[in-house]
C-alpha cells in the first residue's frame, strides 16, 4: 500500500496506472485500471494445479469466474482488467466455444479489453468476429443468477435487452426461456415462443430479446451484441430508415420484425428479403456503414 501511494504521488494524477498482481485493497484509490483475477491460460484448466488446490494458478475458468464475481468493482475504485481474450487457433488449446465464453465474459464485465493474438493470422470468419467487438458498448442493469457453475445474466444496451448464459461447470445445462422472441447471433437463429435452450459445458449462449410490439429489431449480424448497431428506426410511407451506430467495422445484416401484412418497399432505400413466420414477418436487409 505504501509503495502504491508513493508511485501515485510520484507520477501525479494526470498519468494512468494499470495494476497487475496487486492486492486489490492496495490498488483502490491508487490505480486507474486493475487486474481482478487469475491469468488466462492456453488451456481451460491445469489439472495438477487444481488438484493441489493452488488458488493462484493460471486458469481460464478461474479467470472467467473472477471476472464475473468481481464485476461490482468495475468503475468504482478502478476499471476492471479481466486479462486477455484469444481467438487464434495456433499455440493454444482452448476450444472455439471456450474462447467465446472468455470473450463474452470480458466484454460483459470488463471495460479494459486486451487481445493476445496477432490478428493478421485470423481467417475471414475470425476477423469478422474480432471486428464485431467494435465499437465497445456500455452495458447496464446486469443482474447475475448463479448455481453450480452456471451463470444466467440479464442486461441492457440502451433500450435493448439481452440474456447471456455462461456454463463453467462440467455438466451440460438446460434453461427454459420465457415466452418471447429471441435472436442467437452466432447461428442467426430466431427462437420464438417458449423454448428450452441447451448450454454445453464450458460453453456460452448470448440472446437478444425482441420487443413485444408489432415492429421491432429481432437481431443482426455486424456487432457482437446483436441489434446494438441500431440507434434509431423511422417508419416512412414505403421506406424504413435506420440510423446505425458510428464506429462499426462490419456492414451489418439486420432482421426486423413487422406485421405479416407489411407493405413497405425498402430499408434505407435498399430492397429486403421477406421471411414469413407464423405470427409475424421478418425483413432481412444488408446495410452499409455511413
Amino acid at each position: 500500500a505504501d509503495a502504491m501511494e508513493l508511485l501515485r504521488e510520484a507520477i501525479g494524477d494526470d498519468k494512468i496506472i494499470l495494476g497487475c498482481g496487486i492486492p486489490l485493497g492496495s490498488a483502490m484509490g491508487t490505480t486507474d485500471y486493475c487486474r481482478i483475477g487469475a491469468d488466462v491460460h492456453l488451456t481451460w484448466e491445469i489439472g495438477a494445479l487444481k488438484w493441489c488446490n493452488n488458488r493462484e494458478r493460471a486458469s481460464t475458468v478461474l479467470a472467467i469466474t473472477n471476472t464475473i464475481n468481481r464485476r461490482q468493482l468495475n468503475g468504482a475504485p478502478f476499471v476492471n482488467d479481466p486479462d486477455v481474450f484469444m481467438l487464434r487457433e495456433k499455440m493454444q488449446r482452448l476450444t472455439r466455444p471456450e474462447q467465446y465464453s472468455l470473450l463474452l465474459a470480458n466484454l460483459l464485465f470488463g471495460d479494459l479489453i486486451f487481445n493476445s493474438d496477432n490478428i493478421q493470422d485470423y481467417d475471414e470468419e475470425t476477423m469478422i468476429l474480432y471486428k464485431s467487438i467494435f465499437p465497445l458498448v456500455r452495458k447496464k442493469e446486469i443482474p447475475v443468477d448463479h448455481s453450480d457453475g452456471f451463470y444466467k445474466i440479464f442486461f441492457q444496451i440502451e433500450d435493448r435487452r439481452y440474456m447471456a448464459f455462461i456454463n463453467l461447470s462440467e455438466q451440460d445445462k438446460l434453461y427454459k426461456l420465457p415466452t418471447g422472441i429471441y435472436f442467437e447471433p452466432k447461428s442467426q437463429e430466431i427462437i420464438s415462443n417458449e423454448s428450452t435452450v441447451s448450454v454445453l459445458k464450458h460453453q456460452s449462449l448470448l440472446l437478444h430479446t425482441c420487443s413485444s410490439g408489432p415492429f421491432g429489431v429481432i437481431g443482426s449480424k455486424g456487432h457482437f451484441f446483436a441489434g446494438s448497431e441500431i440507434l434509431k428506426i423511422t417508419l416512412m410511407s414505403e421506406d424504413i430508415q435506420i440510423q446505425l451506430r458510428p464506429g462499426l467495422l462490419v456492414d451489418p445484416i439486420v432482421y426486423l420484425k413487422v406485421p405479416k401484412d407489411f407493405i413497405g418497399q425498402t430499408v434505407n432505400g435498399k430492397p429486403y428479403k421477406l421471411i414469413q413466420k407464423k405470427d409475424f414477418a421478418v425483413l432481412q436487409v444488408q446495410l452499409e456503414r455511413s
Side-chain angles (χ1 to χ4, degrees), residues 240-289:
I240 299 175
Q241 284 291 314
I242 295 179
Q243 179 185 352
L244 294 177
R245 182 182 300 274
L248 293 171
L249 299 185
V250 179
D251 289 332
I253 299 173
V254 173
Y255 300 86
L256 301 177
K257 175 189 174 188
V258 297
K260 292 179 69 69
D261 57 353
F262 180 74
I263 58 173
Q265 300 296 315
T266 56
V267 179
N268 284 16
K270 293 179 174 293
Y272 56 78
K273 177 182 177 181
L274 183 65
I275 305 170
Q276 290 289 351
K277 295 290 185 178
K278 180 180 178 181
D279 300 317
F280 57 92
V282 178
L283 307 186
Q284 176 186 335
V285 62
Q286 172 82 63
L287 298 180
E288 296 178 355
R289 296 163 287 158

Side-chain angles (χ1 to χ4, degrees), residues 96-233:
R96 280 295 190 188
E98 290 170 347
Q99 289 178 325
Y100 182 84
S101 294
L102 175 62
L103 176 60
L104 174 60
N106 286 10
L107 291 176
L108 280 176
F109 301 112
D111 282 344
L112 183 64
I113 306 300
F114 280 121
N115 177 16
S116 69
D117 302 338
N118 179 357
I119 65 173
Q120 294 185 81
D121 294 336
Y122 287 166
D123 59 25
E124 182 178 1
E125 180 181 356
T126 306
M127 181 60 78
I128 291 174
L129 174 60
Y130 174 73
K131 287 182 176 181
S132 75
I133 296 169
F134 305 102
L136 299 179
V137 291
R138 184 163 296 279
K139 281 69 63 180
K140 62 181 181 180
E141 300 181 15
I142 313 184
V144 176
D145 184 19
H146 166 244
S147 176
D148 189 28
F150 185 52
Y151 292 86
K152 299 176 282 292
I153 305 153
F154 308 90
F155 65 99
Q156 290 184 224
I157 298 174
E158 277 120 25
D159 60 346
R160 307 210 178 282
R161 295 180 293 122
Y162 299 83
M163 295 182 184
F165 308 95
I166 301 178
N167 185 6
L168 302 184
S169 76
E170 296 302 315
Q171 292 83 36
D172 301 342
K173 302 291 184 178
L174 297 175
Y175 183 82
K176 186 175 182 180
L177 297 171
T179 301
I181 300 172
Y182 305 91
F183 183 82
E184 200 284 304
K186 288 194 296 181
S187 66
Q188 305 286 284
E189 181 182 1
I190 299 171
I191 305 170
S192 57
N193 300 321
E194 293 185 4
S195 299
T196 298
V197 295
S198 174
V199 186
L200 304 183
K201 67 177 185 178
H202 304 180
Q203 297 193 16
S204 296
L205 180 67
L206 174 64
L207 298 175
H208 173 255
T209 304
C210 181
S211 64
S212 58
F215 292 90
V217 177
I218 289 182
S220 62
K221 182 178 181 181
H223 196 278
F224 186 89
F225 295 104
S228 67
E229 302 98 324
I230 298 173
L231 293 182
K232 184 179 179 181
I233 299 179

Side-chain angles (χ1 to χ4, degrees), residues 39-46 58-64 82-104 106 115-117 126 168 170 201-203:
D39 287 336
V40 168
H41 197 262
L42 302 179
T43 62
W44 186 252
E45 181 63 283
I46 304 175
S59 164
T60 300
V61 63
L62 275 190
I64 297 174
D83 203 16
V84 301
F85 70 88
M86 61 185 78
L87 300 176
R88 66 181 186 267
E89 294 185 2
K90 299 177 180 178
M91 300 179 65
Q92 62 85 32
R93 287 181 286 170
L94 294 172
T95 65
R96 280 295 190 188
E98 290 170 347
Q99 289 178 325
Y100 182 84
S101 294
L102 175 62
L103 176 60
L104 174 60
N106 286 10
N115 177 16
S116 69
D117 302 338
T126 306
L168 302 184
E170 296 302 315
K201 67 177 185 178
H202 304 180
Q203 297 193 16

